[in-house]
Amino acid sequence: MDLLNELFNCISSINYGIFNENYIDELLDNRDCEPFDTEWCRVYREIEELKKQAEYTNKIKNQQDKIRENVFMLIG
């Protein structure tokens, strides 16, 4: 959990007010470009394979959902 706390601290320290709407749109559009797109897809496939191999329970899914919710609240 220390790593997650460190991640949350880093995310919460960013001044999101400096990003205007056009800049954010450009960042989002660039998700479909190299090298981000290829790496994102590779990691996604790897995680899906790990889920098949490991016991991926509702408890783990709930923990994952809670982490995602906390990150979105920090940047929102």
Side-chain angles (χ1 to χ4, degrees):
M1 276 313 251
D2 289 335
L3 181 60
L4 288 176
N5 288 332
E6 186 177 336
L7 174 65
F8 291 146
N9 288 336
C10 288
I11 291 172
S12 63
S13 70
I14 297 171
N15 177 8
Y16 294 99
I18 64 172
F19 304 117
N20 65 32
E21 187 175 337
N22 289 335
Y23 182 76
I24 292 171
D25 286 342
E26 183 179 337
L27 286 176
L28 293 173
D29 288 344
N30 285 332
R31 292 181 300 177
D32 296 331
C33 299
E34 295 297 330
F36 184 87
D37 183 61
T38 300
E39 186 64 8
W40 179 269
C41 291
R42 183 194 67 76
V43 170
Y44 178 82
R45 286 189 302 271
E46 187 174 321
I47 290 171
E48 290 302 308
E49 285 302 313
L50 288 172
K51 286 180 183 178
K52 292 176 187 174
Q53 296 171 16
E55 184 178 322
Y56 188 71
T57 65
N58 281 338
K59 180 181 177 185
I60 294 170
K61 183 183 181 320
N62 290 340
Q63 290 172 340
Q64 178 184 354
D65 291 344
K66 186 66 175 171
I67 291 168
R68 184 181 296 113
E69 178 184 322
N70 286 334
V71 169
F72 280 114
M73 289 176 67
L74 283 172
I75 63 175

